[in-house]
């Protein structure tokens, strides 16, 4: 998912820039954490950060100071819930290539469904945060089992306990995960099965390529 964002999205796309921001923040925290034990290594890393404007060393810029903006209510539960569903999906395909599948997630209307909607606003997407977590080529989020579900489909059932606001809000929700072999071709650029032809980039990649050509 990180590699797809970094190397497949347009250079200034918010998805790509947000990924860079997270990586930069993580590196900053890791370097400051081991600085007291490995001062020379920490200083060398700090001095070679390409986005640092000042020349002050790691020991002159203070201790770890994570922004409160990172602590969004519900985001931790949303990610943990999506990861639980991803584990169900990956377990159902027995080590096969996850990109060769599309995932259908069925959750009854409620808090868990709302948390997943925060990761994927569209019903079906190949570029949403939810799909990136699922590691599939495409993810569909529904509130009820689709009527066209194949009779032999392997439907994995699971539950997830939501714990918000220090335990004041607790809700156990059930979900279903269905892994279906995807019918589309592999995109020669992003390697996801989201293209109409193996010789033609997918719509997302075509848009990025067109944007590069116009700059």
């Amino acid at each position: 998912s990180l590699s797809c964002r970094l190397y497949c999205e347009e250079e200034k796309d918010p998805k790509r820039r947000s990924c860079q921001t997270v990586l930069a923040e993580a590196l900053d925290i890791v370097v400051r954490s081991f600085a007291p034990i490995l001062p020379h290594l920490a200083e060398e890393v700090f001095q070679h950060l390409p986005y640092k404007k000042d020349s002050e060393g790691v020991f002159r810029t203070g201790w770890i100071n994570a922004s409160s903006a990172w602590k969004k209510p519900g985001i931790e539960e949303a990610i943990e819930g999506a990861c639980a569903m991803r584990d169900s999906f990956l377990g159902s395909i027995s080590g096969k290539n996850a990109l060769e599948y599309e995932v259908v997630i069925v959750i009854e209307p409620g808090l868990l469904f709302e948390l997943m909607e925060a990761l994927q606003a569209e019903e079906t997407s190949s570029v949403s945060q939810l799909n990136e977590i699922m590691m599939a080529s495409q993810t569909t989020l529904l509130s009820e089992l689709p009527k066209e579900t194949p009779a032999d489909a392997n439907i994995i059932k699971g539950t997830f306990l939501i714990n918000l606001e220090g335990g004041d809000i607790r809700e156990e929700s059930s979900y279903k995960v269905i892994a279906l072999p995807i019918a589309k071709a592999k995109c020669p650029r992003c390697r996801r099965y989201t293209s109409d032809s193996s010789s033609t980039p997918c719509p997302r990649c075509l848009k990025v390529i067109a944007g590069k050509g116009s700059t």
Side-chain angles (χ1 to χ4, degrees), residues 182-188 191-200 202:
I182 198 158
K184 294 186 177 181
K186 181 192 287 187
C187 171
R191 318 303 290 176
R192 288 183 176 178
Y193 290 77
T194 51
S195 180
D196 294 329
S197 168
S198 59
S199 60
T200 306
C202 66

Side-chain angles (χ1 to χ4, degrees), residues 95-170:
K96 296 178 182 177
N97 184 1
L99 290 175
E100 295 179 358
Y101 290 83
E102 60 176 309
V103 182
V104 178
I105 299 174
V106 182
I107 309 171
E108 292 184 0
L111 187 53
L112 182 60
F113 187 87
E114 293 174 5
L115 290 175
M116 293 305 105
E117 278 190 315
L119 301 176
Q120 178 170 300
E122 309 89 347
E123 182 176 285
T124 299
S125 177
S126 62
V127 297
S128 68
Q129 295 181 74
L130 180 58
N131 187 66
E132 288 185 348
I133 294 171
M134 297 304 293
M135 301 168 61
S137 279
Q138 180 175 286
T139 296
T140 298
L141 179 62
L142 301 172
S143 58
E144 59 182 18
L145 201 66
K147 295 180 180 179
E148 62 274 15
T149 302
D152 59 346
N154 184 17
I155 302 175
I156 308 299
K157 299 180 180 180
T159 60
F160 181 74
L161 178 63
I162 301 169
N163 192 342
L164 291 171
E165 298 183 9
D168 291 339
I169 300 177
R170 290 173 62 88

